[in-house]
Amino acid sequence: MKHTRGVKSAAGVPETRDSAALEAGLAAASKLSRLITCRTVSSRDPQDLDIGEFDAFIQALPELYPLVHRHLALERVNGYGLLYHWQGSSPAAGTPKPEAEDAPGALVLMAHYDVVPASHPEAWEHPPFSGNIAGGKIWGRGTLDDKGSLAAVLQAVELLLVEGFVPARDVYLSFGNNEETAGTSAGVAAALLAGRGIRPWMVLDEGGAVATQAFPLVDRPVAVVGVTEKGILDVELSTGDAGGHASTPHRRGATARLARAVVRLDENPLPAVLPAPTIEMFARLAPTARFPARLIFRHMGGIFRTPLTQILARMGGESGALTRTTVAVTQLHGSSAANVLASRATANANIRVTLGDTVDGTLKRLRRIIRDPSISLRVVEGNEPSPVSATDNDQFALLARTITGTFPDAVPAPYVMLGGTDSRRFTGICDAVYRFAPFRMDREARASIHGNNECLSVQAFGEGILFYSRLLRNLEPGL
């Protein structure tokens, strides 16, 4: 491989030492750019969906990835979910027949193409649905979450098909259209496979990344692989009142009582703990950490567990979220007019239930914190934390080997996924479900997910393509 520094390509992008990744990214950047221009914004209300944008996205795929659509079987799931099937070289791979019980199970690669809204487009450096390629980056909503992964998977498969490559196992590509809202299409896809007797060997979805600036006193990038994910719980807090004219208010009206409940939740975070996957993550980081972190990380399961848990909890943000069930009040509603007292006030609390906690247990804690029987709690949606996938099996070893082959400077480590993914729908049919987006992300990039100026560097996009290509090449039926 030719290594160069400071040389610019024809597109004006500085070449790096990893010229193969840059070349892969440059060759496919226009494809991702095209997909970004499709405004596939999710909404729980069907009337708010621009279904034509979803149609445009699906119609663009055969043009951008012709070999994928020539050689892989495509099935529409739940209307707009996409399930591709790539037959493996093993005659019985993925075949739900009694005589094939010892056949290698399938690999499922997941992504989703729906996105969240861009609420303040004027704040973006490049318009959120422009797909502009500038400054060595592809700009737009969905580049990181999660069209970038989808495009990297399809490009890797397309390039392998050019070579006539056939995977050792059956491969399914499951692309969801409503991950940001309900995730029902992923559930239908999982049920579809289960109904056919297919129990995947491994499932890989978005989630972790090659993170920099994430851990204090650790200088190397950390490739965090989600082995579980927090439960998702949306709770509506509500309280009623007589209402009336705003010129004659009374104390402790509906809005005041609701505001007090919100403040109590903010001032009383739930207990901090460190689950087993987090302890293992720090143990794997210990050899690369600076002193005194190296010593502390090595003894996370012992004398340093309690003090470090408290330190991380006080840091807040990503670090704090590793330690506890989090509560974020995201929506508030009161009166419908400026001069009318609210007869009903509501708030939505978006809660991420940590490993070891439950939905019911969390609700009981919320009620104790609020200490107001006039505030009712209604579960809008609730999912328990996902089962923990192993890190001492062939599947995790394959991921770790592929990560170090693509990102030799990164340390692979398990972690608890803080957000929710479609992969939770597959835990009922697969014991090895992992969450990892193969892109380098610094703190600014991670903050742009669901925020402003979301973008993906061409170099990082190319590394993602090489990761999926290497993963598919590394599949072995005997593993």
Side-chain angles (χ1 to χ4, degrees):
M1 181 183 295
K2 181 180 179 182
H3 299 298
T4 57
R5 289 179 181 268
V7 180
K8 289 193 175 182
S9 68
V13 181
E15 289 191 353
T16 69
R17 293 181 63 185
D18 194 349
S19 57
L22 182 60
E23 182 180 353
L26 287 170
S30 62
K31 298 182 182 182
L32 176 55
S33 172
R34 166 90 174 273
L35 297 178
I36 295 301
T37 63
C38 299
R39 299 171 180 252
T40 51
V41 178
S42 274
S43 174
R44 293 185 183 274
D45 187 348
Q47 293 184 340
D48 293 337
L49 282 176
D50 188 345
I51 207 65
E53 295 291 332
F54 287 76
D55 287 325
F57 181 94
I58 293 174
Q59 291 165 7
L61 295 178
E63 177 187 339
L64 299 175
Y65 309 99
L67 293 181
V68 169
H69 291 79
R70 190 179 307 161
H71 294 278
L72 275 63
L74 171 60
E75 197 169 355
R76 295 282 285 265
V77 175
N78 197 36
Y80 283 83
L82 306 176
L83 184 64
Y84 294 84
H85 178 210
W86 192 4
Q87 180 68 48
S89 58
S90 173
T95 304
K97 295 180 180 180
E99 63 268 26
E101 289 179 356
D102 296 329
L107 168 69
V108 178
L109 298 178
M110 300 182 66
H112 66 90
Y113 67 94
D114 62 313
V115 299
V116 297
S119 302
H120 302 285
E122 72 282 355
W124 288 60
E125 187 173 337
H126 297 271
F129 294 99
S130 64
N132 283 352
I133 303 174
K137 298 177 180 179
I138 308 156
W139 295 81
R141 175 64 83 221
T143 47
L144 294 175
D145 185 19
D146 183 34
K147 291 179 181 177
S149 291
L150 183 148
V153 168
L154 287 174
Q155 182 68 4
V157 175
E158 186 81 4
L159 294 175
L160 290 172
L161 288 170
V162 170
E163 302 175 11
F165 174 83
V166 178
R169 298 172 178 270
D170 272 27
V171 175
Y172 289 89
L173 313 179
S174 180
F175 299 148
N177 63 293
N178 58 5
E179 189 272 350
E180 297 291 0
T181 52
T184 52
S185 291
V188 173
L192 190 67
L193 294 182
R196 295 171 181 172
I198 298 170
R199 188 172 180 86
W201 177 73
M202 183 174 77
V203 173
L204 180 63
D205 197 3
E206 62 167 334
V210 182
T212 58
Q213 305 171 319
F215 300 95
L217 300 178
V218 177
D219 297 324
R220 289 175 59 183
V222 182
V224 285
V225 179
V227 295
T228 181
E229 62 185 57
K230 286 184 167 184
I232 301 176
L233 175 60
D234 274 306
V235 176
E236 181 191 74
L237 284 64
S238 66
T239 187
D241 203 12
H245 200 284
S247 63
T248 56
H250 51 272
R251 293 188 64 206
R252 296 199 183 101
T255 53
R257 280 182 279 117
L258 182 68
R260 183 175 61 183
V262 170
V263 170
R264 284 175 175 171
L265 289 175
D266 186 63
E267 293 180 344
N268 295 275
L270 275 64
V273 295
L274 278 186
T278 304
I279 294 174
E280 182 180 351
M281 176 186 73
F282 282 110
R284 290 185 181 237
L285 296 181
T288 62
R290 284 178 278 152
F291 184 84
R294 184 184 305 113
L295 176 64
I296 295 172
F297 290 175
R298 280 176 178 165
H299 299 280
M300 283 291 295
I303 59 174
F304 292 118
R305 183 170 186 170
T306 298
L308 187 59
T309 300
Q310 297 304 318
I311 292 172
L312 291 171
R314 292 192 185 101
M315 290 173 66
E318 292 175 324
S319 298
L322 288 172
T323 67
R324 59 162 51 98
T325 294
T326 58
V327 181
V329 175
T330 55
Q331 295 173 308
L332 294 166
H333 298 282
S335 173
S336 58
N339 61 348
V340 175
L341 297 176
S343 59
R344 185 170 183 264
T346 64
N348 186 84
N350 184 262
I351 300 160
R352 304 305 168 111
V353 184
T354 195
L355 209 61
D357 284 353
T358 64
V359 168
D360 285 343
T362 300
L363 288 171
K364 290 176 182 177
R365 281 177 169 159
L366 296 183
R367 291 189 177 97
R368 287 198 297 268
I369 292 170
I370 292 172
R371 304 193 313 276
D372 185 347
S374 74
I375 303 291
S376 64
L377 274 60
R378 180 178 69 88
V379 174
V380 179
E381 179 185 5
N383 296 294
E384 304 290 353
S386 297
V388 180
S389 295
T391 58
D392 59 354
N393 55 8
D394 291 331
Q395 292 91 326
F396 193 86
L398 170 64
L399 284 176
R401 187 166 67 251
T402 307
I403 287 169
T404 54
T406 311
F407 309 95
D409 57 332
V411 182
Y415 93 122
V416 177
M417 173 72 185
L418 303 180
T421 70
D422 273 344
S423 69
R424 70 184 185 276
R425 309 288 183 176
F426 281 74
T427 57
I429 65 170
C430 181
D431 297 327
V433 177
Y434 301 98
R435 303 146 185 92
F436 176 70
F439 303 127
R440 295 181 187 270
M441 298 187 200
D442 58 16
R443 188 178 293 113
E444 183 179 6
R446 297 192 298 275
S448 74
I449 297 174
H450 290 205
N452 296 334
N453 289 319
E454 185 179 353
C455 61
L456 175 64
S457 80
V458 174
Q459 170 77 20
F461 182 44
E463 286 179 317
I465 294 168
L466 296 183
F467 170 87
Y468 286 118
S469 178
R470 182 174 276 111
L471 179 70
L472 291 164
R473 290 182 187 278
N474 285 347
L475 282 177
E476 297 178 22
L479 283 177

